[in-house]
Amino acid sequence: MVSSDEVSLYLQYVDNASFNRNGHNLAVCFNLDRRLQAIDDQALIRGLNQLEIISTSIIRDKVIGSVTVFVLKAMLSLAKSEIEKAAQEYIDGLKKLSEAIMQQQRNENEKNSGFWMVPTLKLMVKQAYLLVKRADHNSSNSNQTDSIWRLYHSVLMYAFNVSCTGESEECWDQSAKLGALCIINHLLRVLIKLGTLKSCFTILTRLQICYWPEHEDPPRQGQNIPGHLLCKSEMIAYHYYTGRLKLLQDDFTGARSDLMEALARCPKTAIKNKQRILITLVPLNISFGRIPTIHILEKYNLMIFSGFVKALKLGSISSFNKAINDYQLFFIKTGTFLMLEKMKLAVYRSFLKRHINFFQTQENIETGKSPILNLLSVQKALAIQGEAMEMEELECLLSNLITLDLVKGYISHSSKKLVLAKNLADAFPLRKVLIPLS
C-alpha cells in the first residue's frame, strides 16, 4: 500500500521549487493533471488532517505552503468527484498565489521579485478555468455554477491588477507583467460568458496601457513590451477574443482585422483552433462580400455556411431562410446570428440582379433604356421563394436597399415600378456589398 510519505515527498518538491525560485517546476507541482497520477488518493486522505501542519513544517515559504494546502485539497476533492468544491479550493489557492506575488513586489529591496512565480500563476489560471468549466458542465444547479464563475472572475481581476503593477521600464524580461496577457484572455472568456461586456473594454484599455504605452494617443511614459516575450498562443487568443468583442459592438472592420490576425498566427496543424476562429470569421467575411470556397468549408467542417454562399451567388432567398433556420441556435450561441440576418439585404440585392430580365418588359430590354422593374412581378417571384409580402412591405424593403446604396434607382409608387440606373454596374454597386451592412 502507498504510504503518506508520497505527500511529504511532493511537499519537498514544492519547497525546492519555491526556495530556488523556479516557477516552472512549481507549476508542474500545482498541475492537477500531472500530480493526480503521482499521489495516491488514500495517501491524501490519511494526510488531510495534518496537511497544514505538514506543509508549513516542510515548505519554508509559508505563503507557498498555504497555496499548496489549497491545491492538495482540490486534488482530494477531485479524487472524490466533488468538482465544484475542487474548483473553489483551487481558486482560493490562485488568490493566495496572487497575494504572494503582490507581497514580494512590495519588497523594496527586491525589484521584480515576484517575476519568478509568473509561470505558476499562468498555469493556475488555466487549471482553475478548466475546473470551473468542468463544474459548470456537470452541475444541474445553474445558480451555484454561476457563483463559481463569478468567484473565478473576482480572483482573476485581483490577479490581473497584481500583474499590471509589476515593474517593466528597465527589464521587461523579468517583470510580473508578463502574466497579464494570459489572465486577460481568461477574463475575456468569463466576461463574455457572463455578458458583462462593459468591463471587457475597461480591462483591455488597461492592458494596452501596460503593454503598449507608446501606441497610446498621446503616447504614455514607458516602453512597449518586446514582441519576442509574448507567448504566441496567448496572442492568438487575445486577437480572437478582442475580435469577438468588437463584433458584439458592431465594429465589423476591427473585428475582421483581429480575427484575421488570430488566423494568420495559428500554426498549420492547429485545425481545431482555426475552425473556432473561422466560425466567426467566415460569416464576417461573407458580410464583406468575401465568399469562401467550398474547399475551405469542407476542410474545416463548416458546411453550415454553404447555404449562405449559395444564397448570395444565386440570389436564393429560400436557401438563405433554410440555412439560418436550420442552425439558428448555433448561430445565436456563436454570436453571429444578427450579422447573418443583416446579410439578407445583400441576398435581396443578388435576387434582383440575377432575375432582372424577368421583372422588366421585352420592349424595355430592346430599347436599352434604364431597366424598369414591375413590382408585381417581383412580388410574385418573392412569394415563390417563400417570402410573401404586401406591396407596402416590398416598397419599404426596396427603399432600404436604395438607402444603403445596395441598389441605385427610385420607386414609382403610383405605377408600382422600380426604375434602376441604366448601367447595370451602377444599378448594383459592388463596392457597397464589400462594406458590412449596419
Side-chain angles (χ1 to χ4, degrees):
M1 181 175 289
V2 183
S3 68
S4 58
D5 289 343
E6 287 186 0
V7 177
S8 299
L9 185 61
Y10 167 74
L11 295 174
Q12 288 174 10
Y13 286 141
V14 174
D15 178 61
N16 289 335
S18 62
F19 183 75
N20 295 320
R21 294 194 165 195
N22 191 324
H24 292 284
N25 285 350
L26 189 60
V28 172
C29 293
F30 291 167
N31 188 333
L32 299 179
D33 297 331
R34 298 282 295 273
R35 300 313 311 172
L36 273 174
Q37 299 174 1
I39 302 178
D40 184 79
D41 297 345
Q42 295 301 318
L44 274 174
I45 295 170
R46 286 194 297 272
L48 181 62
N49 295 331
Q50 300 179 340
L51 206 54
E52 295 189 27
I53 299 173
I54 295 172
S55 63
T56 52
S57 62
I58 295 178
I59 301 174
R60 282 164 281 187
D61 188 318
K62 304 307 177 188
V63 180
I64 297 298
S66 300
V67 177
T68 308
V69 171
F70 284 115
V71 173
L72 286 172
K73 286 182 177 180
M75 289 182 187
L76 182 60
S77 297
L78 275 178
K80 295 179 178 179
S81 297
E82 298 173 352
I83 311 300
E84 292 176 16
K85 186 178 179 182
Q88 291 174 345
E89 289 164 341
Y90 200 83
I91 290 170
D92 289 338
L94 173 59
K95 185 175 183 181
K96 268 294 182 189
L97 184 70
S98 303
E99 291 172 354
I101 296 175
M102 176 64 81
Q103 182 181 334
Q104 292 202 17
Q105 284 178 343
R106 288 174 178 172
N107 190 336
E108 296 179 358
N109 299 323
E110 299 183 51
K111 197 172 185 180
N112 290 329
S113 55
F115 160 72
W116 72 271
M117 285 187 276
V118 168
T120 313
L121 178 68
K122 291 165 70 172
L123 180 279
M124 291 194 72
V125 165
K126 296 172 186 176
Q127 290 273 296
Y129 174 77
L130 294 175
L131 277 175
V132 175
K133 187 178 179 181
R134 187 174 165 188
D136 188 13
H137 182 266
N138 292 345
S139 177
S140 56
N141 189 338
S142 59
N143 292 330
Q144 190 170 354
T145 53
D146 189 60
S147 66
I148 297 177
W149 278 112
R150 295 191 182 280
L151 172 65
Y152 178 56
H153 164 253
S154 66
V155 174
L156 280 181
M157 281 301 300
Y158 180 80
F160 180 67
N161 291 332
V162 169
S163 294
C164 286
T165 57
E167 300 288 343
S168 66
E169 286 76 10
E170 296 183 3
C171 45
W172 257 112
D173 59 338
Q174 294 183 18
S175 173
K177 287 185 178 182
L178 292 176
L181 186 59
C182 172
I183 296 170
I184 203 172
N185 286 336
H186 287 80
L187 262 174
L188 293 176
R189 280 182 173 185
V190 176
L191 289 171
I192 290 174
K193 177 178 176 59
L194 296 176
T196 320
L197 300 182
K198 187 179 290 186
S199 301
C200 293
F201 295 98
T202 303
I203 61 174
L204 279 173
T205 301
R206 187 168 181 192
L207 180 77
Q208 288 162 2
I209 294 172
C210 175
Y211 273 20
W212 302 286
E214 295 176 6
H215 292 172
E216 292 295 303
D217 188 20
R220 295 176 178 264
Q221 185 178 1
Q223 296 179 353
N224 286 352
I225 182 171
H228 71 274
L229 293 178
L230 293 170
C231 176
K232 185 174 181 179
S233 61
E234 291 173 5
M235 282 303 296
I236 292 170
Y238 172 75
H239 284 294
Y240 170 72
Y241 286 112
T242 51
R244 285 193 60 188
L245 277 174
K246 290 175 181 177
L247 182 61
L248 293 172
Q249 293 292 310
D250 288 342
D251 179 6
F252 295 122
T253 303
R256 183 172 181 268
S257 176
D258 275 311
L259 290 170
M260 289 291 286
E261 182 68 22
L263 186 65
R265 288 173 178 263
C266 258
K268 292 182 178 179
T269 55
I271 301 297
K272 287 188 177 180
N273 286 343
K274 284 189 173 184
Q275 182 193 49
R276 191 176 180 185
I277 296 169
L278 286 169
I279 283 173
T280 307
L281 185 57
V282 165
L284 187 55
N285 271 342
I286 291 175
S287 73
F288 274 85
R290 306 292 197 271
I291 299 176
T293 63
I294 294 298
H295 170 71
I296 291 293
L297 297 181
E298 289 177 345
K299 180 178 179 180
Y300 295 102
N301 194 24
L302 296 174
M303 291 303 291
I304 54 174
F305 295 112
S306 61
F308 298 103
V309 173
K310 178 183 177 182
L312 278 170
K313 286 183 175 180
L314 302 180
S316 174
I317 298 166
S318 58
S319 295
F320 176 89
N321 290 337
K322 186 177 187 308
I324 203 164
N325 290 331
D326 287 351
Y327 302 101
Q328 183 175 353
L329 292 178
F330 175 80
F331 296 136
I332 292 173
K333 186 178 178 180
T334 55
T336 57
F337 179 76
L338 293 178
M339 179 174 55
L340 288 168
E341 258 199 336
K342 291 178 181 179
M343 194 195 304
K344 193 170 186 178
L345 289 173
V347 178
Y348 282 124
R349 168 198 175 278
S350 181
F351 170 78
L352 289 174
K353 182 180 179 182
R354 189 168 181 85
H355 302 95
I356 188 170
N357 289 337
F358 295 102
F359 303 142
Q360 55 180 328
T361 62
Q362 186 65 29
E363 181 184 354
N364 183 248
I365 297 173
E366 291 173 354
T367 56
K369 296 180 180 178
S370 296
I372 301 175
L373 276 58
N374 187 331
L375 296 190
L376 289 173
S377 300
V378 175
Q379 186 183 34
K380 290 177 182 178
L382 285 172
I384 294 172
Q385 291 272 338
E387 287 281 302
M389 56 179 70
E390 299 295 330
M391 184 57 67
E392 290 78 6
E393 291 180 87
L394 176 57
E395 290 181 1
C396 181
L397 169 64
L398 296 174
S399 298
N400 285 333
L401 294 178
I402 293 170
T403 302
L404 292 169
D405 279 346
L406 290 172
V407 173
K408 211 80 168 179
Y410 64 90
I411 300 170
S412 173
H413 176 71
S414 57
S415 59
K416 306 298 180 188
K417 302 285 192 241
L418 171 65
V419 182
L420 297 173
K422 186 175 181 179
N423 190 322
L424 194 61
D426 294 333
F428 300 97
L430 181 62
R431 60 186 179 85
K432 288 298 179 182
V433 184
L434 301 181
I435 300 174
L437 303 174
S438 57

